């Protein structure tokens, strides 16, 4: 009988882009506790190093921070060289760098008659540079690291995991660039899973629901009082489990998708969302 375990993960090398962030840290701890050596690749080297030290202390597995920009191929190539010199071959990649920005966020949810004289608050007033920044960070920021960092996997297989969002299935109001980019993540996850299946590289994604983190705090809670905004209330009301998620609740799904327990699974996007995606609101 086959023994069910995460043992195959032991000593594998996993690069996590955006590894210095809130979700990156939780995933590194989840994988580290299964014996994975994690590389926290981030623009912010100080954060990546700090998180790597915490991952080591909490899990006993090796973890390092590496500075790189997911939007610059050369920077990813030098990071890869450093990773190969330090840990050897890269077995797994999590594309976690991403997020939204206030510059790509419309002030209002919907266009109304009276806003025709105040277009700045609508789609028409969105900052193009902000729009491009968010789209590229989430989309190209997944393509480029995959191009560079999954190459080792051509020899013997591997796993790529992308980080999508609830906004990929039905776009959330106010965040058009983020939503379009995350929808593209679902598409490229399927595309790459097909392209790379013959050489044993699996490509999947998780779509986290709502977790209070730095990038969405300004949309979901009031800066002064810490109380939920009306958008925050809407989200809780739209989540059958009635709460925000805890980032640790992503760990089980991710360890499953990275391990051989899911070795016949590729091209899927798993929502981890307290039921948000399944709920019509009625
Ligand atoms: P975070 O802001 O805590 O972490 C993101 C990390 O990415 C930061 O450490 C940042 O320095 C790094 N980063 C940004 N630009 C980079 C670049 N060009 N190159 C390298 N690193 C870069 O965000 P998070 O909440 O941990 O989000 C991680 C991922 O999860 C994102 O893709 C986000 O869209 C997605 N997500 C988050 C939520 C949520 O509720 N927080 C929900 C759904 C999806």
């Amino acid at each position: 009988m086959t023994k069910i375990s995460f043992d195959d993960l032991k000593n594998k090398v996993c690069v996590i882009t955006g590894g210095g962030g809130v979700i990156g840290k939780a995933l590194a701890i989840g994988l580290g506790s299964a014996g994975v050596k994690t590389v926290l690749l981030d623009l912010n080297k100080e954060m990546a190093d700090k998180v790597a030290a915490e991952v080591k202390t909490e899990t006993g597995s090796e973890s390092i921070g590496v500075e790189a920009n997911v939007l610059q191929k050369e920077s990813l190539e030098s990071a890869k060289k450093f990773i190969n010199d330090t840990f050897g071959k890269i077995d797994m990649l999590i594309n976690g760098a991403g997020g939204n920005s206030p510059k790509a966020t419309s002030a209002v949810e919907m266009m109304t008659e009276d806003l025709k004289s105040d277009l700045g608050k609508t789609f028409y007033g969105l900052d193009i540079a902000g729009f491009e920044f968010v789209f590229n960070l989430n989309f190209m920021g997944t393509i480029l690291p995959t191009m560079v960092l999954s190459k080792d996997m051509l020899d013997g297989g591997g796993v790529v995991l992308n980080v999508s969002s609830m906004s990929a299935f039905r776009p959330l109001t106010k965040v058009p660039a983020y939503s379009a980019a995350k929808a593209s993540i679902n598409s490229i996850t399927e595309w790459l899973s097909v392209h790379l299946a013959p050489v044993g590289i699996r490509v999947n994604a998780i779509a986290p629901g709502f977790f209070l983190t730095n990038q969405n705090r300004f949309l979901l809670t009031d800066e002064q009082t810490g109380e939920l905004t009306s958008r925050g209330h809407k989200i809780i009301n739209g989540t059958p489990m009635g709460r925000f998620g805890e980032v640790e609740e992503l760990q089980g799904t991710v360890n499953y998708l990275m391990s051989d327990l899911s070795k016949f699974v590729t091209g899927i996007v798993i929502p981890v969302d307290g039921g948000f995606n399944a709920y019509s609101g009625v």
Side-chain angles (χ1 to χ4, degrees), residues 17-25 41-44 47 68-71 95-100 133 137-138 163-166 178 182 206-216 220 247:
T17 74
V22 181
I23 289 181
K25 175 179 164 182
L41 183 152
D42 207 290
L43 256 190
N44 186 336
M47 277 304 291
N69 185 344
V70 293
L71 296 173
N95 285 307
N100 187 42
F133 170 77
L137 173 61
N138 289 281
V163 180
S164 180
S165 155
M166 280 303 108
Y178 183 74
K182 291 299 191 186
I206 52 166
F210 296 87
F211 299 78
L212 259 195
T213 55
N214 302 335
Q215 59 165 295
N216 61 19
L220 305 183
V247 283

Side-chain angles (χ1 to χ4, degrees), residues 53-219:
E54 288 173 38
V55 173
K56 259 169 118 168
T57 314
E58 268 200 48
T59 67
S61 294
E62 290 188 65
S63 185
I64 52 168
V66 173
E67 183 175 349
N69 185 344
V70 293
L71 296 173
Q72 285 173 5
K73 209 167 171 211
E74 309 73 52
S75 137
L76 292 163
E77 268 153 4
S78 9
K80 179 173 186 298
K81 185 170 178 335
F82 178 78
I83 297 162
N84 288 153
D85 290 347
T86 313
F87 278 163
K89 177 180 181 279
I90 298 169
D91 302 296
M92 306 184 290
L93 167 68
I94 298 182
N95 285 307
N100 187 42
S101 152
K103 285 196 176 148
T105 305
S106 66
V108 297
E109 292 184 352
M110 293 186 208
M111 185 73 205
T112 52
E113 280 300 320
D114 56 326
L115 284 170
K116 286 183 182 169
S117 54
D118 193 8
L119 289 177
K121 291 184 172 154
T122 73
F123 165 74
Y124 299 97
L126 284 173
D127 179 76
I128 294 300
F131 202 102
E132 272 176 356
F133 170 77
V134 169
F135 190 84
N136 284 340
L137 173 61
N138 289 281
F139 187 61
M140 291 315 293
T142 291
I143 300 294
L144 290 175
T146 305
M147 235 175 226
V148 175
L149 301 171
S150 72
K151 263 197 190 137
D152 288 353
M153 302 176 204
L154 291 169
D155 218 3
V159 189
V160 176
L161 182 83
N162 296 328
V163 180
S164 180
S165 155
M166 280 303 108
S167 216
F169 304 102
R170 283 169 300 150
L172 300 177
T173 56
K174 293 189 168 186
V175 293
Y178 183 74
S179 304
K182 291 299 191 186
S184 312
I185 293 295
N186 289 12
S187 172
I188 200 72
T189 297
E190 292 184 339
W191 191 90
L192 275 171
S193 73
V194 172
H195 192 68
L196 296 174
V199 291
I201 303 178
R202 298 188 294 114
V203 186
N204 292 299
I206 52 166
F210 296 87
F211 299 78
L212 259 195
T213 55
N214 302 335
Q215 59 165 295
N216 61 19
R217 202 173 301 273
F218 74 98
L219 278 172

Side-chain angles (χ1 to χ4, degrees), residues 14-35:
C14 180
V15 180
I16 305 178
T17 74
V22 181
I23 289 181
K25 175 179 164 182
L27 303 190
I29 290 176
L31 288 167
S33 55

